[in-house]
Amino acid sequence: MSTPLSLGIDIGGTFTDLVVHDPRDGRAVIWKESTTPDDPARGALEGTRRVLEKAGVGPEQIGRVVHATTLFTNALIERKGARTGLLTTAGFADVLEIARERKYELYDLFIEMPKPIVPRPWRREAMERVGPDGGVVNALDVEAALGEVAALVEQGIESLAVCFLHAYANPAHERAIAAAVAERFQHLSISLSSDIAPEIREYSRASTTVANAYVRPLAEAYLDRLEQALRGEGIPGGLFLMLSNGGLTHVAEARRAPVQLLESGPAAGALAGAWFGRNAGLDRVLAFDMGGTTAKLALVDDGQPLVAYGFEAAREKRFLRGSGLPIQIATVELIEIGAGGGSIAHKSDLGTLNVGPESSGAQPGPACYGRGGSDATVTDADLSLGYLNAGFFLGGAMAIDDAATAAAFDRLAVALGVDQSRAAFGVHDVVNENMAGAARVAIAERGRVPAEYALLATGGAGPVHAWHVARKLGVTRVVCPPGAGAGSTIGMLMAPARVDRVASFNVALAGADLSTADDLFTSLEKEALDVLHLTGASLGERTVQRLADMRYIGQGSEITVALPDRLDAAGVKAAFEAAYKALFARTPPGAAIQFVALRLSASAPMPGSGGGLALPRHASAAARKGTRPVFFPDVGKALPTEVWDRYALEPGVSIAGPAVFEENESTFIVGPGATARLLPDGSILAEVA
């Protein structure tokens, strides 16, 4: 019988968060270890030893390990993946270069478009052609295609992406060449577009397949090494990976399609926001996750984060749509809204204050870490303003260099021509305004109003900034859940197993053979359940959702619609029109509707997930830790502010702001005029009348 404890490991840009959780009684222990960028697994293993020691449990008691990492995303951004080749249909070798023929900044004469992952000499063509209906126009010349692959192998490629025209409609040619290549070049990693992204749109399908091929050898080596290392530590439990869609999968599926893991860490933050929100009785939550490197926001409606079916990776300009590589996978809909605690402040060419996008990362880190960093960062600003306690950073486990912070801000203040305190608040406020501004636009694009939501903060820096970001957004309720500093890791441990699958179904609704659609859904469900079965998920409690990408005939893009249980033309039309009106307020009269693709999402609870969360508590007599001056922009000065140990507070207690609530992994700031209450689940809810 498997052991019951779960271990979560989330490798971020600055810290690696680890949580040991017992689902039987909810007891959990948290540890933050500095990320080791040269070898992320090294920091994860060191953190594993420390969190097990802190929890007082042996490695043999860990029944499963759940993991999220930014390693594959970073490989794309930094172009540190495998030497990758592309085999495509004759005449289409330049699809990656041509892209969408659209500039993301129309009037920028010096614009830099995303560079293709595969350089021109490594893009080869095969004599073959399949039509959009799946019919074979030109048969595949296998020997000629093998010759092209042989030439690529001679040039040193390690991974091959195969993306033939209209392979989403008929994958026969891709599968035939894959079998031939696998037989002749057994060392070569192969990714097929019909397996990775079987959808229309040649460029985004090719981009996704190439991205998968680019990170797949790295993923295979990393996951093998991590599995062996965990076993070497004496941990018997299986390794499960967090997917971008907010679910878990087993190692074999992660090896096959690591592109599904690109947004795994941020997705876990959104999942944590949804889980903590449900526990706090909140249906609508803005899940705000801010760590040392980045900050993200996700909208949670009715207890579930919104899911999209594509995003952009490795953007040239961080916030500009169209400046990145399109990736067609199911992903929690995330809004990148700003910088992290390690983001560097500097004087711009125009003489103004800029914060980010450069980050000090884990090495050397902010100046206050005392590891050689000399630039002023967001974390340094938060220390200077009294939001953070230098003597209680990571619960006192990490020594802070106040002198280095002061020196960094002295240099920044001189460069800007202001005093140190103004420079420090400027850094904090610029970051908050950047995040609030990006959030306003993104929320409005989704037809939502910020005031309808509560802002729920996770991540090491999230609770520090949440109050001021909420004030800028006009949000009146801010929630800091227990264990907020490791919220993403806690979210992973509560995640179900999930599989998303898609199939092309490009037909008009009028006259469509819906029995064919039903058969396709049956096939997709069988494929999804086969994957879920290998995770050990509780299939008897599974949830299966049928969706379709649909549009009006003649439109260039589509929307994803949840379909009724029973497929009939009238019901499908009603579902599509309701979804269309929710987005665009009206439907064009008399326009014909068409299907583009069918989607299936299957999820099931994981053994060891669920339960509550019970973190170690302290004696209530120690709840009030003292006071310290904290700067609040509402009054334009520092106020003497009571500091509380959040784990010594009793449920139901009510505290008037301003107030600071400390825990080992984060600090929650509440401004004047607010009332903070401790909810039954351990969350702190701060409200402004």
Side-chain angles (χ1 to χ4, degrees), residues 373-669:
S374 59
D375 294 311
T377 68
V378 174
T379 297
D380 293 305
D382 293 343
L383 276 163
S384 298
L385 296 168
Y387 301 139
L388 299 178
N389 179 358
F392 194 69
F393 203 85
L394 291 184
M398 185 172 181
I400 290 299
D401 189 341
D402 283 318
T405 291
F409 271 105
D410 184 52
R411 288 189 292 273
L412 181 64
V414 169
L416 294 171
V418 298
D419 60 47
Q420 280 197 32
S421 61
R422 183 169 173 78
F425 178 69
V427 172
H428 181 86
D429 195 49
V430 164
V431 166
N432 290 343
E433 185 54 48
N434 287 346
M435 293 189 290
R440 281 189 208 101
V441 173
I443 293 167
E445 285 179 343
R446 288 154 180 81
R448 308 296 202 274
V449 177
E452 297 174 353
Y453 290 80
L455 187 70
L456 191 146
T458 56
V464 180
H465 288 257
W467 179 258
H468 294 139
V469 172
R471 297 292 285 166
K472 289 176 180 292
L473 285 173
V475 171
T476 60
R477 295 175 298 164
V478 182
V479 181
C480 180
S488 292
T489 316
I490 294 167
M492 290 190 310
L493 294 175
M494 305 305 171
R498 176 167 172 160
V499 179
D500 283 270
R501 289 292 184 263
V502 60
S504 176
F505 189 64
N506 199 346
V507 298
L509 175 59
D513 182 359
L514 294 181
S515 65
T516 301
D518 212 39
D519 291 341
L520 278 171
F521 275 127
T522 300
S523 175
L524 292 175
E525 184 170 350
K526 181 183 182 305
E527 185 182 339
L529 293 182
D530 287 345
V531 177
L532 286 180
H533 176 74
L534 294 175
T535 66
S538 304
L539 295 186
E541 301 175 61
R542 67 181 180 271
T543 300
V544 178
Q545 188 177 24
R546 294 181 169 191
L547 309 106
D549 290 353
M550 303 179 72
R551 64 189 180 192
Y552 287 107
I553 293 175
Q555 288 183 327
S557 58
E558 53 276 348
I559 63 173
T560 301
V561 180
L563 297 179
D565 294 334
R566 180 176 173 275
L567 288 182
D568 64 82
V572 171
K573 180 181 179 182
F576 171 75
E577 289 184 340
Y580 197 92
K581 284 180 180 177
L583 287 171
F584 306 112
R586 60 182 298 178
T587 58
I593 301 168
Q594 73 176 114
F595 289 99
V596 176
L598 303 179
R599 298 186 182 275
L600 183 129
S601 173
S603 62
M606 289 287 289
S609 66
L613 181 68
L615 294 167
R617 290 188 50 78
H618 309 145
S620 58
R624 188 177 181 280
K625 299 176 70 172
T627 63
R628 69 169 180 260
V630 178
F631 184 87
F632 289 99
D634 299 29
V635 294
K637 62 181 180 180
L639 298 176
T641 303
E642 291 186 319
V643 181
W644 302 88
D645 179 344
R646 72 166 297 162
Y647 295 120
L649 297 173
E650 297 293 336
V653 68
S654 182
I655 294 171
V660 174
F661 300 92
E662 291 186 341
E663 57 184 292
N664 287 3
E665 299 81 25
S666 190
T667 300
F668 183 36
I669 305 299

Side-chain angles (χ1 to χ4, degrees), residues 96 196-197 203-213 259 326-329:
L96 295 180
I196 303 301
Y203 169 54
S204 51
R205 183 160 58 91
S207 175
T208 306
T209 308
V210 164
N212 191 79
V259 72
I327 305 293
Q328 285 192 190
I329 60 169

Side-chain angles (χ1 to χ4, degrees), residues 668-686:
F668 183 36
I669 305 299
V670 174
T675 301
R677 288 185 296 116
L678 190 68
L679 303 180
D681 76 321
S683 295
I684 299 173
L685 171 63

Side-chain angles (χ1 to χ4, degrees), residues 132-144:
D133 61 352
V136 175
V137 178
N138 296 320
L140 170 68
D141 187 335
V142 175
E143 285 306 315

Side-chain angles (χ1 to χ4, degrees), residues 146-342:
L146 281 174
E148 298 290 347
V149 175
L152 289 173
V153 171
E154 286 179 9
Q155 293 180 60
I157 71 156
E158 306 160 301
S159 190
L160 178 68
V162 181
C163 186
F164 289 161
L165 191 66
H166 303 306
Y168 59 86
N170 181 356
H173 285 180
E174 285 194 352
R175 290 176 181 171
I177 192 60
V181 170
E183 184 178 351
R184 186 172 298 187
F185 307 102
Q186 297 179 10
H187 68 285
L188 200 60
S189 177
I190 305 171
S191 297
L192 305 182
S193 76
S194 52
D195 287 341
I196 303 301
E199 303 180 51
I200 62 169
R201 293 193 173 85
E202 197 68 16
Y203 169 54
S204 51
R205 183 160 58 91
S207 175
T208 306
T209 308
V210 164
N212 191 79
Y214 190 66
V215 300
R216 189 174 179 185
L218 173 69
E220 289 171 337
Y222 172 76
L223 293 173
D224 286 345
R225 188 168 72 252
L226 185 61
E227 267 195 313
Q228 292 171 9
L230 290 170
R231 288 215 157 77
E233 293 291 321
I235 294 175
L239 176 63
F240 300 94
L241 284 304
M242 186 78 204
L243 297 172
S244 302
N245 63 12
L248 301 178
T249 195
H250 55 81
V251 173
E253 176 68 4
R255 285 196 190 100
R256 181 191 74 84
V259 72
Q260 297 180 85
L261 277 68
L262 290 182
E263 292 285 88
S264 61
L271 209 66
W275 188 76
F276 283 122
R278 290 195 300 270
N279 288 351
L282 301 168
D283 289 331
R284 288 196 154 191
V285 164
L286 298 174
F288 170 50
D289 183 41
M290 182 178 180
T293 309
T294 58
K296 305 260 182 160
L297 188 81
L299 275 69
V300 177
D301 285 339
D302 300 322
Q304 295 295 331
L306 303 182
V307 174
Y309 295 94
F311 74 105
E312 288 182 2
R315 282 178 169 170
E316 293 292 324
K317 296 290 180 68
R318 191 170 190 175
F319 302 115
L320 287 182
R321 192 174 298 164
S323 68
L325 303 173
I327 305 293
Q328 285 192 190
I329 60 169
T331 177
V332 170
E333 196 164 348
L334 296 161
I335 307 159
E336 187 167 357
I337 57 171

